[in-house]
Every structure is written in structure tokens, then in C-alpha cells.
Amino acid sequence: MKPLRAATYGVFYRLPIGLRRWIVRRAVPKYVVGAVIMVRDSEAGGERLLLLRQPPPGRGWNLPAGLLQRRESPIVGAARELAEETGIRLRPEELSPAVPNAVVHARGWVDVVFEASVPASTTTLTVDGAEVYEAAWHPLDDLPKLTKASAKLLAYYGIGPLADQPGPWASLRR
């Protein structure tokens, strides 16, 4: 380690914790954190996925998702967003972390991704007509036009039109 860098770290770690946090918050990149939920139809062996059609600019279908509130844990935010956008009310413990659980995007946001499975035939979908126009189940092998963000995110899980294309997700599947 170079002497200047070692000295800088030495001084930094001697500072009070509050001051260290203040410095870190101003020095490191800021990210927006969202929660995304991949909801599968348990009656179709998980081969159908719940997607949402939302207002432009997306002009395609999305996964249920939204930004976390201040100090909200990702799993609680995921359950909240799922209920708000689809009417599906699940307890946080009914969600499972997807693998990978967090996807860091180049433009400054992080998606924390969860999975859930519900029976489509007995699950009532409720949308507000403003934030979400439509919610529907789609077979994994016949997905509608996805937004670019959803297509890229689903590719990390080997799903959708980009799943077989090169990208940062390709190294995660073997």
C-alpha cells in the first residue's frame, strides 16, 4: 500500500463514526434502490409470469416493482409494491430472494429482486388504471413486448428475449 493511502486510511479510521459516515455519504456514488418481484403462477409449474402494462415511457410490459421508501427494508418494500400495483397481498416472509438478489445497473440504480408463487386461477388482480393499466399472466416462452429495463433484468434469470444474448447476465448462468 502506498504511504499516502495508508496514512489517509489511518486518519479516517481514527475519526468519530458519525464524521466517517458523513464523509462516506458525500464521497461515494449514490444509488436509487428499488424492489422487483417475479411472481410465477404456481398452477403452471412456475412457467407463467405476472407482468404489468404501465403508462409510457416504457411502452411495454414490466414486472411489479417500485422504489423503496426511506429506511424501508427491500423485502417489505417488495411486498408493499406488489400489493399497491396488483392487489396481491403477501407477507414479506412469503417472498424469496432471487439469485442474484441484487442487480446493479450502470445508470445509478440497484434492483433488489424477489420471487413469489401464487395460484393464478384464485388470485384476484386489482390495478388502479393510473399507475398500472393492466396486469396479466404470460407464458415464459411467449412473453409480450417487454420494456428494455424488464428485458435486461429478466435476462439475469435466463428469461425473455435477451436471455441468450451477451451481456453482464451471461456470466451468471452456466
Side-chain angles (χ1 to χ4, degrees):
M1 193 183 270
K2 295 184 178 182
L4 180 58
R5 186 173 179 188
T8 302
Y9 275 111
V11 169
F12 177 78
Y13 285 111
R14 287 185 184 91
L15 296 173
I17 187 74
L19 182 56
R20 288 193 317 225
R21 284 187 185 135
W22 183 86
I23 291 169
V24 168
R25 285 186 183 126
R26 275 135 192 90
V28 299
K30 308 269 187 292
Y31 287 92
V32 174
V33 180
V36 179
I37 311 92
M38 292 189 295
V39 183
R40 295 175 186 253
D41 177 4
S42 61
E43 298 168 326
E47 293 299 311
R48 289 193 332 155
L49 191 63
L50 179 62
L51 295 172
L52 310 177
R53 192 169 60 81
Q54 296 179 286
R59 294 191 171 90
W61 290 78
N62 292 303
L63 293 162
L67 298 177
L68 297 180
Q69 295 174 355
R70 189 175 200 80
R71 294 182 177 82
E72 182 177 44
S73 74
I75 199 162
V76 170
R80 177 185 51 76
E81 284 292 340
L82 183 62
E84 287 175 7
E85 294 185 347
T86 69
I88 298 173
R89 299 197 180 284
L90 296 177
R91 295 183 317 276
E93 54 270 14
E94 293 176 282
L95 302 177
S96 301
V99 178
N101 184 227
V103 176
V104 179
H105 302 280
R107 300 211 180 225
W109 86 90
V110 177
D111 282 324
V112 184
V113 186
F114 296 92
E115 295 181 295
S117 186
V118 299
S121 68
T122 59
T123 300
T124 302
L125 301 176
T126 306
V127 298
D128 63 10
E131 181 183 3
V132 178
Y133 292 152
E134 181 181 3
W137 298 96
H138 297 277
L140 293 180
D141 60 359
D142 189 26
L143 294 175
K145 180 180 183 266
L146 300 169
T147 62
K148 187 182 246 184
S150 289
K152 285 181 177 181
L153 188 115
L154 284 171
Y156 280 92
Y157 305 95
I159 300 170
L162 302 179
D164 296 329
Q165 295 184 13
W169 49 82
S171 64
L172 297 173
R173 295 184 316 273
R174 297 180 193 248

